[in-house]
Amino acid sequence: MLRGGALLVLGGVAAPLTGCDLFDRDDQPAPPPDPLRPMVDESLALAEAYRSAATAHPDLADRLGPIAEAHTAHATELARVIGVALPSAAATAPTTAPAAEPASALAALRALEKTAQQSATQACAAAPAERAALLGSIVAARATHQEALK
């Protein structure tokens, strides 16, 4: 009976040790996501919103195309700075269809730009100095885009 009890105790102690990752050396937690990651996604979403509006309103394509490309360039540079790959085009599909009327589409894009400018301003204020210049230029571009859409 003592032998059985000793085996039970040893078995009870040995079993938890095998599952506690005592010998696993990959105990480093994953680093937190970069705070600029949402800016990459936001820039890609803006670019796609402009492309969708240009497709829906071909008469606006010359006006909207360069702004879409600016947002794509921002996403590309932000991704380079934080060391991530850009997501596929399917991941950046717009969540809403462009407005039926060109004036309404432009107003919707202005509203998107205003919201995006605010988030870029907040990111710029919180960013370290080496990232502030890039974010400041994105803030300025988004303000300029709002004016270009009037």
Side-chain angles (χ1 to χ4, degrees), residues 41-60:
D41 298 334
E42 183 179 61
S43 294
L44 290 172
L46 284 166
E48 191 54 41
Y50 277 91
R51 287 187 188 96
S52 294
T55 300
H57 305 287
D59 53 320
L60 297 176

Side-chain angles (χ1 to χ4, degrees), residues 9 25 38 48 70 72 96-97 115 149:
V9 169
R25 298 293 179 207
E48 191 54 41
T72 300
T96 58
T115 301
L149 294 171

